[in-house]
Amino acid sequence: MTKKHQVFRQLDSVTDKAAEYINYFAYHPSKDFTRKRKMDAKTFIKTTLGMQGNCLNKELADAFPKFSERMTASAYEQQKSKVNPSVVSY
């Protein structure tokens, strides 16, 4: 296994763990990230970590090439407003 694959596997492990404990980072743990959505906690964390630029619509289009899986910038912002930024440092 290459170093690149090891890094991605470790990143997956960390994002899985953060998503598992999303209630520790949510502002309203009893209701945030409880429903099934296109952008669940794990997808939100991975998308946020992968963003590099300032154009949210382009970043979302790059992260979700299949149109049926894509959400609006507004939907992303709503999910973002539910999470304490400390999830990234976790």
Side-chain angles (χ1 to χ4, degrees):
M1 180 180 306
T2 67
K3 184 73 169 173
K4 177 181 166 182
H5 287 99
Q6 289 175 336
V7 170
F8 280 122
R9 193 174 255 184
Q10 187 171 5
L11 181 61
D12 275 343
S13 174
V14 170
T15 54
D16 287 346
K17 192 62 114 178
E20 184 179 335
Y21 293 106
I22 196 66
N23 289 340
Y24 292 106
F25 305 105
Y27 289 116
H28 303 96
S30 61
K31 69 178 196 174
D32 293 342
F33 292 100
T34 57
R35 294 184 2 198
K36 177 83 172 113
R37 298 186 180 267
K38 285 183 180 178
M39 185 169 282
D40 59 2
K42 182 178 178 177
T43 306
F44 169 78
I45 294 167
K46 284 186 168 191
T47 302
T48 302
L49 291 175
M51 289 188 170
Q52 299 172 10
N54 294 324
C55 181
L56 184 54
N57 284 320
K58 183 181 179 329
E59 294 286 349
L60 290 172
D62 290 346
F64 302 96
K66 288 178 74 176
F67 189 77
S68 63
E69 295 176 356
R70 202 172 301 158
M71 73 287 311
T72 64
S74 174
Y76 173 83
E77 289 295 333
Q78 287 175 20
Q79 294 295 74
K80 187 173 112 177
S81 71
K82 298 175 184 177
V83 179
N84 186 308
S86 65
V87 72
V88 176
S89 62
Y90 174 79

